Amino acid sequence: MATRKKRTDRNHVIYNIICEPTQESYIGVTVMLKQAVKKTLNSRLNQHLYKATVVQPNWTLSKAIRKHGIESFSIHPIQVVRGRLNAFKRESELINLHNPILNTKM
């Protein structure tokens, strides 16, 4: 049986996570499945929480989640982009434009 080619034309959501106490932000991108944007983003925020509390990477966002708690964060859509490469290109443009502090790695 032939392997199926992975789709590259899916919609992706570029999002902004804001730490309410500090107003620091993080810009990311995630693939949009058959869910609404809000459910997709809530699922993605939960993935960030899991990484921060269980995997505990040494990333600025993960440290902020551990310090302030997930309830201190809100997630907002910025833009829906069609295609994986277009989405990652646009995410990079936005990161370079806004320089969000929580996107830095320690």
Side-chain angles (χ1 to χ4, degrees):
M1 181 175 193
T3 57
R4 294 177 60 170
K5 185 177 175 186
K6 198 170 188 177
R7 289 188 63 162
T8 58
D9 63 341
R10 291 180 173 179
N11 282 337
H12 291 72
V13 181
I14 300 172
Y15 60 90
N16 189 16
I17 296 177
I18 299 172
C19 179
E20 301 300 337
T22 64
Q23 291 301 298
E24 295 172 328
S25 67
Y26 173 90
I27 294 175
V29 65
T30 189
V31 67
M32 200 168 137
L33 302 174
K34 293 183 180 181
Q35 304 171 348
V37 171
K38 187 174 182 177
K39 283 187 177 184
T40 297
L41 293 182
N42 285 336
S43 175
R44 186 66 184 115
L45 188 58
N46 285 329
Q47 290 169 358
H48 281 294
L49 172 64
Y50 176 81
K51 280 186 178 180
T53 55
V54 177
V55 180
Q56 294 192 350
N58 195 22
W59 298 341
T60 308
L61 176 62
S62 295
K63 285 185 172 188
I65 290 171
R66 289 193 298 271
K67 180 179 179 181
H68 298 287
I70 196 67
E71 63 280 348
S72 298
F73 290 81
S74 59
I75 188 166
H76 310 277
I78 297 173
Q79 185 177 1
V80 175
V81 179
R82 185 103 178 139
R84 182 177 174 272
L85 294 177
N86 292 336
F88 284 105
K89 180 181 175 189
R90 182 66 179 141
E91 176 199 26
S92 292
E93 291 170 355
L94 290 168
I95 289 170
N96 290 331
L97 179 66
H98 297 288
N99 198 26
I101 192 73
L102 297 178
N103 276 83
T104 58
K105 291 186 179 179
M106 301 301 284

